[in-house]
Amino acid sequence: MSVTERLLANADSYAGRFLEGDRPDPPSTHVAIVSCMDARIDLYGIFGLSGQAHMIRNAGGIITDDVIRSLSISQRNLGTREVILVHHTDCRMLTFTDEAFADQVERDTGVRPTWAAGSFTDLEEDVRKSIAKVRDSPFVLAKDSIRGFVYDVHTGKLTEVYTAT
Amino acid sequence: MSVTERLLANADSYAGRFLEGDRPDPPSTHVAIVSCMDARIDLYGIFGLSGQAHMIRNAGGIITDDVIRSLSISQRNLGTREVILVHHTDCRMLTFTDEAFADQVERDTGVRPTWAAGSFTDLEEDVRKSIAKVRDSPFVLAKDSIRGFVYDVHTGKLTEVYTAT
């Protein structure tokens, strides 16, 4: 049995105890959270949510065009107004360079990725850069609350990154 | 008090009851889940997870270069081997066209996005396309278990999309 099969068995029992009913599309908190895909970051637990916020996640929690696209749709079409950015300690993105990653992929597959791996060398610095990218994007409407954090995967603690404005 | 402040108060209490300790970086299920950012999809609840899988989420749960980048890092650097794709009913991406979205953004901001909004008109068809995109990418290593689903946000039910191979 694949792990997927086991997860699907859980999805069945989840549906069985699901309270049917209309649920509104726009998130009730009006918050969008951008974070790393890392398995150790339980955004629902950390922020006390059972939904209610948009969750945008990729490798590193970095600000790519795809994240700007998602934030733009989140704000324009679904009314979110606050942005929370979460990077985390012990992130694999700190352990390689974009060039080494692309070299390895090219060696293994014969094809060099057209995208950069998005690695970084300093967590706080990358959070600051990420805040700036969101703030400077013409496609993000609401900029009053764009705040960036580092989550410690070993202590569960979220620390705000100071941002000079 | 902003909503962010309220969520941060929860993050403090979460850290207070967090069991400190080393946690391994590679997800124990070896699964990566790609889904829409929609607030109504609680992937932890649906799949019975408290972490243990990579969570990749964007507007629509569509397969962009950023998702391929994330899956590539997930599989190459962190050993995941199965991919689960989740679209959902009542998705806002079904309600506009890429051109109308870009027109609106351009009217409002004076700048036309360089990225496509990624809208689609048929959920199952987009899941099938998404599976094909992952399967056809040279940057995704493990292709034995790439399965796509539609989640019903009103009933909590996950339905597999049949894929001819």
Side-chain angles (χ1 to χ4, degrees), chain A residues 41-51 55 151 156, chain B residues 7 10-15 17-18 42 44 50:
Chain A
I41 310 173
D42 176 356
L43 294 173
Y44 294 84
I46 294 170
F47 293 114
L49 299 165
S50 59
M55 304 284 182
Y151 174 72
Chain B
L7 300 186
N10 199 90
D12 273 348
S13 75
Y14 178 83
R17 60 181 188 272
F18 191 87
D42 176 356
Y44 293 84
S50 58

Side-chain angles (χ1 to χ4, degrees), chain A residues 4-5 10 25 39 41 44 46 48 51 55 57-59 64 66 69-70 76-77 82 92 108 117 147, chain B residues 4-5 10 25 37 39 41 44 46 48 51 55 57-59 64 66 69-70 76-77 82 92 108 117 147:
Chain A
T4 297
E5 287 296 339
N10 199 89
D25 193 352
I41 310 173
Y44 294 84
I46 294 170
M55 304 284 182
R57 305 186 65 164
N58 66 18
T64 58
D66 197 43
R69 175 185 74 83
S70 297
R76 301 184 67 90
N77 297 52
E82 300 177 33
R92 199 55 70 99
D108 291 350
R147 295 170 64 175
Chain B
T4 297
E5 288 296 339
N10 199 90
D25 194 351
M37 66 183 177
I41 310 173
Y44 293 84
I46 295 170
M55 303 285 183
R57 306 185 65 165
N58 66 18
T64 59
D66 198 42
R69 175 186 73 84
S70 298
R76 301 183 67 89
N77 298 51
E82 299 177 33
R92 199 55 70 98
D108 291 351
R147 295 171 63 176

Side-chain angles (χ1 to χ4, degrees), chain A residues 1-13, chain B residues 29-31 33 46-49 82-84 144-149 158 160:
Chain A
M1 182 156 126
S2 68
V3 180
T4 297
E5 287 296 339
R6 183 163 60 77
L7 300 185
L8 292 177
N10 199 89
D12 272 348
S13 75
Chain B
T29 59
H30 305 289
V31 168
I33 302 172
I46 295 170
F47 293 113
L49 299 165
E82 299 177 33
V83 181
I84 294 175
D144 288 342
S145 185
I146 304 167
R147 295 171 63 176
F149 302 85
L158 197 68
E160 185 150 21

Side-chain angles (χ1 to χ4, degrees), chain A residues 18-44:
Chain A
F18 191 86
L19 204 60
E20 290 198 24
D22 273 350
R23 285 171 168 75
D25 193 352
S28 59
T29 60
H30 306 289
V31 169
I33 301 173
V34 180
S35 106
C36 185
M37 67 183 175
D38 191 281
R40 296 164 295 180
I41 310 173
D42 176 356
L43 294 173
Y44 294 84

